[in-house]
Amino acid sequence: MAAGTRSSRAALLAVTCLGQFMVLLDSTIVGAALPDMQQRLHTQLNGLQWIVDAYVLLVAMLLLSGGVFADRFGRKRVFLAGVVVFTLASVLCSVAPSIGWLITGRVVQGIGAAALSPASLALLAAAYPVPQERVKAIGLWAGFSGIGLAAGPLAGGVLVDAYGWPAIFLVNAPIGAVLLLAGLRVLGESRNPSAPAIDIPGTVLSVLGVGALTYGLIEGGSRGWTSPVILGSFAAAVVILAVFVAVEGRRSTPMLPLRLFRQRLFTVSNTAMVVVGFALMGSSFFFSQFFVYVQGSSVLRAGLQTLPASLGMVIVSPYAGRLAARYGFRIVVTIGLALAGLGLLALGFTHADTGYGNVWWRLAIVGIGFALTMSPLTGAAIQAVSPQEGGLASGISSTTRQIGAVLGVAVLGAIVRTRQSGGASFEAGLGSAFVAAGVVTLAGAVFTGLWLVKSRPAEVSAPQARPADSPTATTPS
């Protein structure tokens, strides 16, 4: 291989890694700032839920479309457009004068991330056509960008303590500027001429349906679960999602090919991924709040105290795929879910006077447990489909995890608010939320232990919604 080719690929790898790093950093740095946001923006728990879910909802619903956009209109173009949108939205968030403006900025951030993330991996895959080289490059991409998960709580605590919550968004501005300038120079354009048309009806219906469900879950605690608005939002969600299923079943190139779910391995792995997103994101939403509001820590100290969970994920994740290849998907995923579930149950019994020496290991177990699940579940979903649909399967796996994350923040937040409205303390509400997350995760472990078995790859291949050389991104959140 020529030195020039190696250097250009190394530069492309660095740019795509930095782009994904920025997205993942944002997914954990916000958690450290939630207590400061609540105080300075004078918002309640439901406001904090919207700050998180407004972003995750857009990423979840637009991730697959972002991958198709990149393949169809140019991966470099979509990547750089995502960088610009994400960076400008971050600046908007940093200067937001109210909770409404901040949520609006988060929505736009989610749109940018849904373009940037899959395009970064598609660029990388197109630059490394040899499978062995591609696997190594993607491993570096996932490993380096995953540092953002561990850096988020610490960076968030430092920035919030020194400058307040706007700093966690403003830090994206210099990263985005570097990405834009470097990307214009080192990225080469590539596209897939046979990429499918954009599924606009499916995308719109999915956003509206999951958005209506999320609204009901988040606002139900404050408006009342039997209020006409909340009941109407749940009814609208059911109707819209039913229409979504009907529309997707009739389209020749749907955003979400329902026929893939006829494969048991595909269905089981994605169902388990919903559980992972639900319990992981739903519980981590409360980690900093537990240390600040229950144990009286500062924001900076709370950021440091939540590190065991993210460090556990970063350290163990690279080995999860190897373990699954050696022992099988079912054993590794079931053990991972069982560990995470037990860790969450243990967190449910911590109190204001529980020493940190008796808390950190519970967080570490949660992180290690979930680290053992994500890569194997994605691998199981890919194994269940035909080779040319591996990228699509990977994208759907990421989407189901993000959907679980949206529901986790909404449902566990609803549990806390419902307990508080019944006279319980915030501490008691958090305990109930952690226990609920643990029970759901342990139920997921039983589910995968019984049903996550090998399945024959799909014999019939659909129109190539995503070629194998341009998979959508799998963004750990």
Side-chain angles (χ1 to χ4, degrees):
M1 182 185 297
T5 302
R6 287 198 298 268
S7 62
S8 62
R9 285 185 176 181
L12 180 144
L13 178 61
V15 170
T16 54
C17 285
L18 185 59
Q20 186 70 354
F21 171 87
M22 182 170 67
V23 171
L24 295 187
L25 178 70
D26 190 81
S27 69
T28 54
I29 199 172
V30 171
L34 290 175
D36 191 58
M37 290 177 179
Q38 184 169 20
Q39 180 181 2
R40 297 195 185 202
L41 293 172
H42 309 290
T43 187
Q44 301 300 317
L45 180 61
N46 61 335
L48 300 182
Q49 289 174 276
W50 278 120
I51 291 171
V52 174
D53 265 356
Y55 173 80
V56 180
L57 174 64
L58 269 294
V59 173
M61 296 298 98
L62 298 181
L63 190 62
L64 290 175
S65 296
V68 175
F69 260 94
D71 286 346
R72 191 173 180 83
F73 300 112
R75 292 147 185 163
K76 174 181 179 179
R77 181 179 300 173
V78 172
F79 176 83
L80 294 179
V83 169
V84 171
V85 171
F86 189 91
T87 305
L88 293 178
S90 298
V91 175
L92 173 62
C93 289
S94 70
V95 298
S98 65
I99 185 70
W101 277 104
L102 179 55
I103 292 172
T104 300
R106 291 287 283 167
V107 167
V108 182
Q109 256 195 326
I111 295 172
L116 188 163
S117 187
S120 72
L121 187 52
L123 280 165
L124 193 62
Y128 290 86
V130 179
Q132 293 86 349
E133 294 181 353
R134 185 193 307 157
V135 169
K136 293 179 182 178
I138 292 176
L140 289 171
W141 174 86
F144 177 80
S145 56
I147 296 174
L149 289 175
L154 177 59
V158 171
L159 290 171
V160 172
D161 186 66
Y163 306 107
W165 68 261
I168 68 165
F169 296 111
L170 201 57
V171 73
N172 291 329
I175 299 177
V178 170
L179 277 171
L180 184 60
L181 294 175
L184 287 170
R185 293 189 60 184
V186 307
L187 297 180
E189 188 58 279
S190 64
R191 55 172 53 87
N192 172 23
S194 61
I198 305 300
D199 182 9
I200 295 177
T203 302
V204 173
L205 288 170
S206 64
V207 172
L208 293 177
V210 178
L213 177 61
T214 304
Y215 178 85
L217 291 170
I218 290 179
E219 296 296 330
S222 58
R223 295 178 178 269
W225 295 106
T226 59
S227 69
V229 173
I230 299 304
L231 293 178
S233 70
F234 287 139
V238 171
V239 172
I240 295 171
L241 292 175
V243 174
F244 168 77
V245 171
V247 169
E248 293 297 278
R250 294 183 178 184
R251 288 184 64 87
S252 58
T253 55
M255 178 185 83
L256 183 64
L258 300 178
R259 60 178 174 74
L260 295 180
F261 289 91
R262 296 172 189 163
Q263 294 290 325
R264 187 173 79 175
L265 182 59
F266 188 83
T267 301
V268 172
S269 61
N270 279 286
T271 302
M273 195 63 96
V274 172
V275 172
V276 170
F278 177 96
L280 175 58
M281 191 67 178
S283 60
S284 62
F285 173 78
F286 288 110
F287 287 167
S288 288
Q289 296 181 68
F290 167 78
F291 287 116
V292 172
Y293 295 132
V294 175
Q295 296 206 322
S297 295
S298 66
V299 172
L300 175 58
R301 186 180 178 188
L304 292 170
Q305 288 173 316
T306 61
L307 272 176
S310 52
L311 283 176
M313 292 184 65
V314 171
I315 293 171
V316 175
S317 288
Y319 301 98
R322 302 177 197 176
L323 291 172
R326 182 172 182 179
Y327 299 106
F329 297 128
R330 177 166 59 178
I331 292 177
V332 176
V333 170
T334 301
I335 290 175
L337 288 174
L339 283 174
L342 291 173
L344 288 169
L345 283 180
L347 280 174
F349 293 95
T350 54
H351 304 286
D353 56 353
T354 304
Y356 185 67
N358 203 20
V359 175
W360 73 266
W361 60 267
R362 307 177 196 225
L363 292 168
I365 289 175
V366 171
I368 291 169
F370 283 126
L372 289 173
T373 65
M374 287 188 285
S375 176
L377 285 174
T378 301
I382 292 173
Q383 186 188 88
V385 304
S386 56
Q388 63 265 37
E389 293 179 316
L392 177 61
S394 175
I396 292 174
S397 184
S398 294
T399 298
T400 54
R401 186 178 69 249
Q402 297 283 3
I403 291 173
V406 173
L407 297 178
V409 172
V411 172
L412 297 188
I415 291 174
V416 174
R417 289 185 62 87
T418 301
R419 287 295 312 276
Q420 286 184 294
S421 64
S425 65
F426 182 69
E427 176 184 343
L430 280 189
S432 297
F434 286 139
V435 168
V439 170
V440 169
T441 308
L442 289 175
V446 174
F447 177 70
T448 57
L450 292 174
W451 296 103
L452 190 64
V453 295
K454 289 184 177 180
S455 176
R456 212 159 40 115
E459 299 290 343
V460 181
S461 64
Q464 294 186 15
R466 200 75 41 76
D469 64 347
S470 58
T472 54
T474 53
T475 313
S477 49

